[in-house]
Amino acid sequence: CSGSTLLRVLLGRHPAIASGGEVGLFDKRALLLEPEGVYRRSIRSWLDQGYAVDFLGPSSELFEELDEYPWTWDAVRRMCLAARDYPSMLEEFHQRNMEVKAAKRWLDKCPSNVFCFDLVAALYPSAKFIHIIRDGRDCVVSYCRRGGTPLRAIGRWFYATLCGIQYRGWQNYLEVRYEELVNHPEAVLRQVCQFLNEPYSGAMFTPASQPVTANSRSKESGFERWRYSVKDAVQQGSVK
């Protein structure tokens, strides 16, 4: 509902960038702060039962959308159980994605990542943060169409937006308006590529030729079909 999926899909087509669906790895403050011993004792239950979250906090799932990653659930589980701590698990997960896709950097997208920008920056000092902001009214409508309540939708949009804009002074923070991306995609993507120190690539507008892997979520709604058909062409009419 934030519009971040559209930006992720486009950037994921850049030859230097490896990305995928939401896996909920960078939006959990407590997990990023867990000492090694706590990780080793708790990772099995986190994978099986999810991670306890609050009303306006992160997603409760870990590795919810693996379709676009070179990992099966069983392989991810084995990797997590073998990792010595949370940071080493994160590194191994994304490193494999880069190697398979012959990319030189990885992108992790989840709207609630905005709650943990400071902790991610401490873990990865050279990381770049792109905060996409969408008109709050559209976010509320989109969230409610997916089963959320207006109260939760308004609260999440307001809280997430405030969490993000506090980093406006950072040199490694870029703010993107969703409406600008939809109406002027090339100009916005050129700005994003400059921010990332990557050459602009027209491949970001070229859909892949192979059919998209089936996603476990419903695709019946034509309005949101673009969210799951990440290898189809992106058109203005499908995202407004």
Side-chain angles (χ1 to χ4, degrees), residues 13-164:
R13 293 173 181 168
H14 193 292
I17 301 174
S19 72
E22 294 180 18
V23 285
L25 297 178
F26 289 100
D27 63 345
K28 299 168 177 63
R29 295 191 68 85
L31 268 184
L32 292 168
L33 291 169
E34 295 286 15
E36 178 180 332
V38 174
Y39 173 85
R40 299 293 304 149
R41 291 194 303 270
S42 307
I43 183 59
R44 191 181 301 273
S45 65
W46 294 337
L47 293 171
D48 292 341
Q49 303 169 22
Y51 197 83
V53 297
D54 56 32
F55 181 67
L56 294 177
S59 59
S60 62
E61 299 292 334
L62 287 170
F63 304 106
E64 183 178 6
E65 300 176 8
L66 284 175
D67 286 353
E68 298 172 66
Y69 293 97
W71 291 92
T72 64
W73 170 249
D74 288 341
V76 162
R77 183 181 178 83
R78 290 194 299 271
M79 181 271 292
C80 290
L81 294 175
R84 68 178 184 275
D85 55 25
Y86 199 65
S88 62
M89 179 271 285
L90 295 172
E91 192 66 29
E92 184 171 353
F93 178 81
H94 283 294
Q95 184 65 35
R96 181 173 177 182
N97 194 30
M98 283 197 303
E99 292 172 355
V100 170
K101 297 177 180 177
K104 69 176 186 179
R105 68 194 310 159
W106 50 264
L107 180 156
D108 186 281
K109 171 263 173 183
C110 186
S112 48
N113 282 352
V114 72
F115 304 142
C116 298
F117 278 3
D118 56 334
L119 296 183
V120 177
L123 192 60
Y124 299 100
S126 62
K128 300 277 190 174
F129 299 86
I130 302 174
H131 181 206
I132 186 163
I133 299 177
R134 186 179 184 182
D135 187 299
R137 295 164 295 184
D138 289 333
C139 284
V140 170
V141 171
S142 178
Y143 193 85
C144 290
R145 281 178 175 173
R146 296 162 58 193
T149 65
L151 176 61
R152 184 179 177 89
I154 294 170
R156 281 188 65 87
W157 177 86
F158 189 71
Y159 180 48
T161 301
L162 289 180
C163 284

